[in-house]
Amino acid sequence: HERHERAVQDRVARARPERLPAGVADVDRRREARAQHRADEGADAVERHIELFRAAVRRRAELPGTLALPLSGGQDSRHILLELVDCGRPPAFCVTARYHPPRATPDAETASELAAFLGIPHEVVEQPPSFVQTLLRHQRVTGFCTLTPSFFMMAVADLLATRADVV
């Protein structure tokens, strides 16, 4: 089927438009125009997403109090941090949680390097000894309403509750 479609397109492309039936010569141009329109819509959507992201971060940055940022070292929190710096309200500090063993990731080191590069204090918190107790507490706090394994963030939440007004 694809080979046939390509052969038809090639023949249309080689044909002189004045020899084709009315409207046939415009098929490729219309197809290209639709493809360009979709690409433009995609670019517009990306720009709109960036605008909304920046506006949301800036609204948070306008709140009074000590601003702190959980910094996982992942893409999302890095972008939030960079936007806070860009809008002139870097966090007072960032905090990253290590995972319970045996899971080991470079997240804490990545977060520490970025924070150091930006001149922002950074703390790494360790997990409580009991994985099961942490998981049970997380389920109680979230009301069993989370699909992601975010229980490791309980240590971060504990620190932020005592030292930050805005997260």
Side-chain angles (χ1 to χ4, degrees):
H1 176 72
E2 289 178 33
R3 182 185 294 168
H4 174 72
E5 181 67 26
R6 265 189 256 122
V8 170
Q9 289 174 356
D10 290 343
R11 284 178 35 207
V12 169
R14 286 191 306 266
R16 292 188 302 198
E18 65 273 5
R19 294 176 59 192
L20 295 172
V24 173
D26 293 331
V27 169
D28 281 339
R29 283 193 290 263
R30 285 195 304 261
R31 186 175 291 143
E32 288 173 15
R34 282 194 306 269
Q36 183 60 49
H37 179 71
R38 283 191 300 271
D40 291 345
E41 283 181 336
D44 290 344
V46 169
E47 286 303 315
R48 183 68 178 135
H49 176 80
I50 291 169
E51 290 171 13
L52 291 171
F53 171 79
R54 285 183 174 150
V57 171
R58 288 170 190 264
R59 276 194 308 273
R60 199 76 182 156
E62 292 171 358
L63 296 174
T66 301
L67 173 66
L69 180 68
L71 184 62
S72 70
Q75 179 177 328
D76 297 334
S77 63
R78 287 192 320 248
H79 282 278
I80 293 168
L81 174 58
L82 294 171
E83 189 61 34
L84 286 168
V85 170
D86 190 52
C87 77
R89 179 92 192 275
F93 67 96
C94 295
V95 60
T96 303
R98 290 203 193 279
Y99 290 95
H100 279 95
R103 184 174 179 190
T105 69
D107 291 355
E109 290 73 22
T110 301
S112 290
E113 289 173 16
L114 179 58
F117 177 78
L118 296 170
I120 298 170
H122 179 252
E123 296 186 36
V124 176
V125 293
E126 301 296 333
Q127 295 295 332
S130 174
F131 174 80
V132 173
Q133 290 301 318
T134 302
L135 185 58
L136 290 172
R137 179 174 170 231
H138 174 262
Q139 296 301 337
R140 283 192 304 272
V141 169
T142 63
F144 295 89
C145 292
T146 182
L147 298 176
T148 60
S150 55
F151 55 86
F152 70 94
M153 291 297 291
M154 296 306 297
V156 170
D158 291 341
L159 177 80
L160 294 174
T162 62
R163 300 203 16 224
D165 303 308
V166 181
V167 179

